[in-house]
Amino acid sequence: MPQKKKIDDGLFNRTYSMFQLLRRLPDRHISEEEVAGLIGVLPPDSANSLQSFFKPSIQQASRAFIAMIGTVLEETRHARERGKKVVLLPFNFPPEIVHSFNNLAPVTTELLSTAATVVLEGQGERYWDYVLGLGLPDHLCSANAIELGSMLSGMDYEPDAIISGCVGSCDVNAKSHEFVSLLLDLPQIPLEKPTMDFSDGFKYFRNSYYKMIGLLEELAGEELKEENLREVSIKANRCTELYYDLWEMKKHVPNPVPGIFSLLICGTRFAMWGRDEGIRTLEQCVEVSRNNLESAAYRSREEIARIVWVYLSYYYDFLNFYDWMEEKGISNFGDALQLAFPQTIDLSSKETMLDAMIEMAWNNVMTRQMGASSMARGWTDDIVYVIKEFGLDGCVYCGHHSCKQTWSAFTVTRNEVLKKTGVPILGLQGDSWIRSMTPIGVIQEELEQFINNVVAGKRRRRRGKASVL
Ligand code: SF4
């Protein structure tokens, strides 16, 4: 059990330093010996994730991702001296519109919490403890509470404004950001999603989005320019094209897209959609997956099961999560955070580009499922779709501790998915960002039993082929 640590520096500052260090590694393939040397000097928590990230088979993609996150942190850190303002976003808010302003720099709360959990010694625990020490309840979502806790400690950078984009899709998230905005006196820019997912609801959302643009223009001190929107939209379209290339490749058996890429895809969606760095990360993911698809050795791998995490997965122990599943032959299709369904932006006019961005915000992760008129229906429809698209055998609900709203719809969703597809969902208990909630060994054991005792039998019957771990 890790020791509790006092906060002596902010999460942002520490994560920034770590990424700047990683960006200084030579711009070439890092050999296994060199990785071993690097791992040897890193603290154990950082070594765990980086050992997984620097595996030769995926290194070209993970290094592009590290460079991309390094750029996000660098642009945030130096925004003010470059005359820009930093806008903090929740993960369900697509960043393209903010990238379209010359004077704004977006940064995503949950991206910071996750990056810290991945690279910092002690992960995000000391910031989480700080939040609880303030008297806030432990049913806050650690996804955002970790970073917001760091900000509240007074030892971290502060943004210039917050986009409140979770109203109507996650009250916990919306309230956590509101609390920080009140305490630190930061303006909130609202984007409201009504819980009506038909045309009147969309009209309301569209109006709210246009009002938000007006407030962003005031904050930036500039008008949103059509040429900027077009430049970002062209790049966003390229990201979308690559996203669907990966989607199509996942239909192959065995799945050539490594499980850890789910993290890279959603990190790109949350932070750098519409930027060159985002394109580069996705291009590298496509290249690695395409090589796998063309490799006879990769194609001969046995795939014991094809599973998806129906909402979140776990982000604190890469070796015992992504690498362990790969070794066991469990093909991990990632989690619902990739279910963003981006679309191609019509570049004809400012209005067509904005319309597409508004639709993508409306259809983005969490907003689309948990902000639907019926949460269980919105969620079930997407999971059924994914099961059919990829021919999955099993699903897992990670039981993220704070996520009371998905917990409230889980049983209905599980029953509906089983009824419509015959595919079972394992319900676990844990926290996606806090390792002390459920040890990873317990999660592995439960997953293994589920695959052996439930999925394998169904898979045998469906495919007429025996397979056990
Ligand atoms: S994981 Fe659950 S609690 Fe956290 S932001 Fe998403 S919906 Fe909200």
Side-chain angles (χ1 to χ4, degrees), residues 246-257:
L246 288 162
W247 185 281
E248 286 304 311
M249 276 193 276
K250 284 186 187 174
K251 294 179 182 171
H252 289 267
V253 181
N255 170 20
V257 182

Side-chain angles (χ1 to χ4, degrees), residues 43-62:
D45 290 340
S46 323
N48 174 308
S49 324
L50 293 172
Q51 202 171 333
S52 187
F53 251 1
F54 280 92
K55 263 194 324 204
S57 57
I58 59 160
Q59 199 186 102
Q60 67 185 88
S62 51

Side-chain angles (χ1 to χ4, degrees), residues 21-82:
L21 179 82
L22 294 171
R23 284 171 100 199
R24 273 193 223 118
L25 292 171
D27 190 17
R28 58 166 172 76
H29 181 80
I30 311 277
S31 70
E32 281 184 66
E33 293 74 31
E34 287 170 317
V35 172
L38 175 69
I39 298 306
V41 296
L42 289 173
D45 290 340
S46 323
N48 174 308
S49 324
L50 293 172
Q51 202 171 333
S52 187
F53 251 1
F54 280 92
K55 263 194 324 204
S57 57
I58 59 160
Q59 199 186 102
Q60 67 185 88
S62 51
R63 291 201 62 199
F65 180 75
I66 287 172
M68 180 186 83
I69 302 300
T71 303
V72 174
L73 298 170
E74 199 262 339
E75 289 182 352
T76 305
R77 169 84 158 220
H78 298 289
R80 284 181 196 124
E81 69 209 48
R82 293 171 187 163

Side-chain angles (χ1 to χ4, degrees), residues 251-270:
K251 294 179 182 171
H252 289 267
V253 181
N255 170 20
V257 182
I260 200 167
F261 283 7
S262 55
L263 201 74
L264 277 49
I265 295 167
C266 54
T268 307
R269 183 69 194 102
F270 298 167

Side-chain angles (χ1 to χ4, degrees), residues 197-217:
D197 48 12
F198 39 90
S199 59
D200 280 354
F202 184 72
K203 221 184 283 164
Y204 184 93
F205 184 72
R206 191 173 184 275
N207 286 340
S208 180
Y209 197 96
Y210 269 100
K211 279 189 203 148
M212 177 202 75
I213 293 175
L215 295 171
L216 287 174
E217 288 180 326

